[in-house]
């Protein structure tokens, strides 16, 4: 019964929706972790100078919920989820780059590159992936059609 429901959900969501669902759950959980047990804020001085890390956790939580909710939208309307998913890692990358430039956190450059590649880059790539890719027709079929 559970497998049938999972197949049905996968069919409804499609590839892009599944990606957004996974991303949304992950971002929401990451944000909740900042509320439950705030991590050290090394390299995030730009953010924590504005407000506490627990307040910044809501950026992850809200973006995660928007991303998760967008998983259930039709292709084309799901773009809001991809945009929402980009915001938190972009903000974190900017904060870490600022920490490198100011000399507060030398490791921040590597963390920023990690956010920009494994988060921002992957999300931007996934946003361009079509829901269904149709392979080209075999050469024999193309010749028969062209006459």
């Amino acid at each position: 019964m559970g497998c049938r429901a999972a197949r049905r959900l996968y069919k409804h969501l499609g590839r892009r929706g599944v990606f957004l669902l996974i991303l949304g759950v992950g971002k929401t959980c990451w944000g909740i972790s900042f509320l439950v047990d705030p991590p050290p804020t090394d390299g995030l001085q730009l953010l924590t100078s504005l407000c506490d890390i627990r307040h910044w956790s809501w950026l992850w939580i809200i973006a995660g919920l928007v991303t998760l909710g967008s998983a259930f939208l039709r292709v084309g309307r799901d773009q809001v989820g991809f945009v929402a998913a980009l915001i938190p890692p972009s903000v974190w990358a900017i904060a870490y780059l600022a920490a490198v430039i100011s000399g507060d956190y030398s490791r921040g450059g590597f963390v920023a590159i990690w956010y920009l590649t494994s988060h921002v880059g992957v999300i931007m790539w996934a946003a361009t992936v079509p829901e269904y890719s149709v392979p080209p027709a075999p050469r024999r079929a193309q010749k028969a059609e062209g006459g």
Side-chain angles (χ1 to χ4, degrees), residues 33-50:
S33 78
F34 286 129
L35 283 176
V36 174
D37 188 17
T41 57
D42 300 340
L44 297 173
Q45 293 84 346
L46 177 65
L47 302 180
T48 56
S49 68
L50 300 172

Side-chain angles (χ1 to χ4, degrees), residues 92-141:
W92 253 243
I94 290 167
Y96 281 116
L97 287 174
V100 170
I101 292 168
S102 69
D104 291 334
Y105 191 60
S106 60
R107 186 173 171 253
F110 299 105
V111 180
I113 291 169
W114 178 73
Y115 271 112
L116 291 172
T117 56
S118 68
H119 291 271
V120 174
V122 170
I123 294 165
M124 290 175 68
W125 168 80
T128 65
V129 172
E131 182 56 42
Y132 297 103
S133 299
V134 179
R139 293 196 57 65
R140 278 183 269 150

Side-chain angles (χ1 to χ4, degrees), residues 1-10:
M1 183 73 159
C3 289
R4 188 180 310 165
R7 281 192 298 271
R8 196 175 211 182
L9 180 64
Y10 178 78

Side-chain angles (χ1 to χ4, degrees), residues 4-71:
R4 188 180 310 165
R7 281 192 298 271
R8 196 175 211 182
L9 180 64
Y10 178 78
K11 186 175 180 175
H12 174 73
L13 294 177
R15 294 187 317 181
R16 292 167 59 96
V18 169
F19 180 78
L20 287 170
L21 181 71
I22 292 168
L23 210 54
V25 169
K27 289 186 181 311
T28 303
C29 290
W30 186 247
I32 291 170
S33 78
F34 286 129
L35 283 176
V36 174
D37 188 17
T41 57
D42 300 340
L44 297 173
Q45 293 84 346
L46 177 65
L47 302 180
T48 56
S49 68
L50 300 172
C51 58
D52 185 62
I53 195 71
R54 287 189 169 153
H55 293 102
W56 283 106
S57 71
W58 288 101
L59 177 67
W60 287 93
I61 295 168
I62 292 168
L65 293 174
V66 169
T67 302
L68 189 149
S70 296

